[in-house]
Amino acid sequence: MRAGWRRALCWAIALIASLSLSLLLPVHAQESFFDSNPRSSDIAPIPQVHPLPASLNRWQPDDQGDYFEQIEPIAMGYLIWSRFPIRVFVEPSDRSNWVDAVQQAIGEWTVYLPLVTVDRAETADIAIWCRTPPLQWNRGELGRVRSAETRFEVGIDRSTDPPLLAHRLQIWLRPDQTANYLQAAARHELGHALGIWGHSLEPTDALYFSQVRNPAAISARDVNTLKRIYQQPTRLGWAIE
Ligand SMILES: [Zn+2]
């Protein structure tokens, strides 16, 4: 248990490091539910399996397989959401291509995990920014190219009783790119944010590691992988003692 907590503290430090890089972003406003400074009395929960959300429970994996072995659990376990709908903030933008791509990606993924858009970044689980990813490469992020990037942070949600070990994600997606690219990148990065923290080796999957001429839609293998991830234990979403 102590070792588990030391890991929690370690991630909190990683979070603080990313905070200092993001001073220009409004996401870390005072009213956030998210506490990045655990107390010494906080004890990280033991890893447990959450019930599957109904939408994933209904999904019947077919014989196309998955790429679960490519997915890396973090120290806290798999990046699994356990409270639904997942709250997504989309930065307002007059770049209609960008907004359309992000909204379409949200619509595609919400078939498998319920998503809802919220109008304040501080109350969101996932914030999507219409900007170039901030410079800096450290733990807790998974980028493909510098035009799109996803990072996670682990902290404590003290808005609940008891408080929960929580995570949240930020996606940066640069707007000055073709509609085709934006579409594929929004779908891909949102897949990371929903828990697919790794890449497929097949170009027919949305989470393929590289850009391709004809980007894939969300494939059966993507969803098979997502479902397997959500069947794994995690410390995230469980009560801090
Ligand atoms: Zn990626």
Side-chain angles (χ1 to χ4, degrees):
M1 189 62 84
R2 296 301 301 171
W5 174 239
R6 273 196 290 277
R7 280 198 294 273
L9 197 57
C10 173
W11 282 108
I13 290 166
L15 167 64
I16 292 163
S18 77
L19 267 178
S20 65
L21 302 163
S22 329
L23 289 177
L24 298 176
L25 303 178
V27 68
H28 302 295
Q30 292 291 321
E31 300 162 49
S32 173
F33 68 94
F34 199 86
D35 178 2
S36 58
N37 295 298
R39 298 164 192 161
S40 58
S41 58
D42 291 331
I43 297 186
I46 56 168
Q48 299 173 69
V49 178
H50 288 286
L52 274 180
S55 44
L56 266 191
N57 197 34
R58 278 194 300 272
W59 174 261
Q60 294 300 325
D62 56 17
D63 57 3
Q64 295 187 51
D66 57 58
Y67 48 91
F68 178 74
E69 70 283 355
Q70 303 293 326
I71 308 305
E72 253 190 90
I74 62 160
M76 294 301 148
Y78 288 85
L79 282 178
I80 290 169
W81 297 104
S82 54
R83 287 179 290 172
F84 301 100
I86 301 163
R87 297 160 295 184
V88 182
F89 169 79
V90 180
E91 184 175 29
S93 169
D94 53 13
R95 307 265 198 157
S96 60
N97 268 0
W98 186 89
V99 173
D100 291 349
V102 169
Q103 292 296 349
Q104 183 167 332
I106 290 171
E108 291 173 3
W109 282 110
T110 202
V111 173
Y112 310 105
L113 288 172
L115 304 172
V116 64
T117 51
V118 294
D119 55 11
R120 289 169 62 227
E122 314 87 70
T123 60
D125 299 309
I126 299 169
I128 307 177
W129 304 101
C130 186
R131 312 175 191 192
T132 301
L135 292 174
Q136 179 71 21
W137 192 263
N138 57 16
R139 298 167 76 177
E141 55 192 80
L142 195 57
R144 51 196 323 218
V145 291
R146 295 303 302 165
S147 48
E149 188 174 314
T150 299
R151 295 185 190 177
F152 72 81
E153 305 165 329
V154 173
I156 298 175
D157 181 353
R158 296 199 191 276
S159 70
T160 63
D161 184 21
L164 303 176
L165 189 67
H167 69 310
R168 66 179 180 182
L169 281 105
Q170 296 192 70
I171 296 171
W172 290 268
L173 179 57
R174 226 174 66 194
D176 55 338
Q177 303 167 91
T178 65
N180 195 34
Y181 173 85
L182 286 172
Q183 190 64 76
R187 182 188 297 128
H188 179 104
E189 299 302 328
L190 196 52
H192 285 322
L194 294 178
I196 308 179
W197 203 252
H199 287 118
S200 163
L201 304 177
E202 300 289 340
T204 47
D205 298 328
L207 273 288
Y208 184 55
F209 65 86
S210 182
Q211 262 183 269
V212 288
R213 191 184 300 265
N214 296 306
I218 297 170
S219 67
R221 281 164 44 85
D222 289 317
V223 186
N224 293 347
T225 304
L226 188 70
K227 183 166 184 171
R228 277 193 70 184
I229 291 166
Y230 274 73
Q231 291 169 322
Q232 307 305 313
T234 184
R235 297 181 198 273
L236 297 170
W238 296 107
I240 297 283
E241 291 174 45

